[in-house]
Amino acid sequence: MKSSPPRLSRRAFSIAAASAALAACTTTGSNVTGSDSAQTAAANPPSKNEPSRQLRVGLALGGGAARGFAHIGVIKALEARNVRVDLLAGTSAGSVIAALSASGMSGIAINKLALSMDEASISDWAMPFRTRGILQGVALQNYLNKTLDNRPIEKLAKPLGIVATDLRSGQPILFQRGNTGIAVRASCSVPSIFEPVKIGAHEYVDGGLVSPVPAAFAHKMGADFVIAVDISARPESALTQSSFDVLMQTFTIMGQTIKAYELDKYADFVIRPNLAAMSGSDFGQRNAAILAGEEAVAKIWPELQRKLATKGAMA
């Protein structure tokens, strides 16, 4: 990804900083293995010698904790309207849903799984002497791997990219191969809530720090038309009733500039479910969030349909 100097010269310094972080998208894809080792691998763009094909549609699912259930509704609604998604990129909560969808599960199947999921099955409290997070995240990792029959990222039905943040360098990393559960766990590791995830010589935390809605990564993976789903709260309307809400509000404030830049530059269409009344910590409203995702697609469908038809991306 190359920034445009004339354009950036007219933007505030914060926009330039955001583009600098996104520039890391051009560097690597990464492998994650079941033995928790990692190595850098070059991305594999489509060969220019391949025959022409329909436009590749990418779905970029953003972070937002419990609000992430809205992604399920979006996927259900797109499938109901015969929108073909070729690849997925996910950040934090979006990485969980992206992995399930990339595995070949339908939106309806993911919906059923989400409503039957027991929170206790993905929660593992860290011991008192472990002070880097109150949850380890291993339970989430194991739950996802079990659900996906331990298939690594590269063996899923569709190309999948999972975004995390290197804790030492602050750079984004795109996992495209290896242990799916570990990569998702890394992407979901909200600092102070989850312990950082060590993979090889590196430690990773939540991908939302560097890419709240990974439209740039979906583009990097080869998408010609990127549909981005933004489930983040607006700072002025976000609920801050708990310490977790305050933490998520901090993430939202920090990510506003980079999110705006990324969506403006790389998203061809943005879907924003109405989740104003839902806190990121309220897992009891999962069904309401799913419905909000479906309603968001229904509301913008005429415009999205026109754009997809123009690009020849309808199934």
Side-chain angles (χ1 to χ4, degrees), residues 42-262:
N44 297 312
S47 169
K48 292 183 178 180
N49 294 324
E50 291 178 359
S52 60
R53 50 151 294 161
Q54 284 188 305
L55 209 69
R56 288 170 61 85
V57 176
L59 189 60
L61 305 182
R67 297 160 68 96
F69 288 106
H71 290 314
I72 302 172
V74 170
I75 291 172
K76 286 176 61 181
L78 291 177
E79 288 177 350
R81 291 165 174 78
N82 296 318
V83 176
R84 171 188 45 78
V85 172
D86 296 289
L87 59 90
L88 298 99
T91 288
S92 199
S95 73
V96 178
I97 307 304
L100 294 172
S101 181
S103 75
M105 293 180 66
S106 68
I108 292 176
I110 301 173
N111 193 150
K112 291 179 179 178
L113 180 67
L115 295 182
S116 63
M117 182 182 67
D118 178 12
E119 285 183 53
S121 65
I122 59 171
S123 300
D124 50 359
W125 301 97
M127 299 298 289
F129 56 83
R130 302 173 74 122
T131 60
R132 305 184 74 197
I134 61 175
L135 293 173
Q136 291 179 270
V138 177
L140 172 62
Q141 171 187 319
N142 292 340
Y143 176 85
L144 192 61
N145 279 337
K146 181 179 179 181
T147 302
L148 302 180
D149 296 324
N150 291 307
R151 279 179 289 167
I153 298 172
E154 69 274 16
K155 295 296 184 181
L156 299 179
K158 294 180 181 180
L160 170 67
I162 298 173
V163 183
T165 304
D166 188 307
L167 182 58
R168 181 176 293 274
S169 69
Q171 294 299 316
I173 188 75
L174 181 66
F175 294 115
Q176 294 181 272
R177 298 178 183 174
N179 189 303
T180 307
I182 294 176
V184 169
R185 174 188 167 196
S187 183
C188 292
S189 291
V190 179
S192 81
I193 300 298
F194 286 91
E195 291 185 336
V197 178
K198 188 172 183 178
I199 304 174
H202 298 263
E203 287 188 311
Y204 299 98
V205 292
D206 197 291
L209 290 170
V210 289
S211 183
V213 186
F217 288 96
H219 178 79
K220 169 183 165 30
M221 291 171 64
D224 304 302
F225 188 96
V226 177
I227 300 173
V229 186
D230 179 12
I231 57 170
S232 62
R234 296 178 61 87
E236 64 271 19
S237 61
L239 301 175
T240 54
Q241 299 173 347
S242 67
S243 58
F244 182 78
D245 290 340
V246 173
L247 181 61
M248 294 306 295
Q249 171 77 336
T250 303
F251 268 51
T252 299
I253 294 170
M254 291 171 57
Q256 284 298 294
T257 300
I258 192 169
K259 183 183 72 173
Y261 175 84
E262 187 167 4

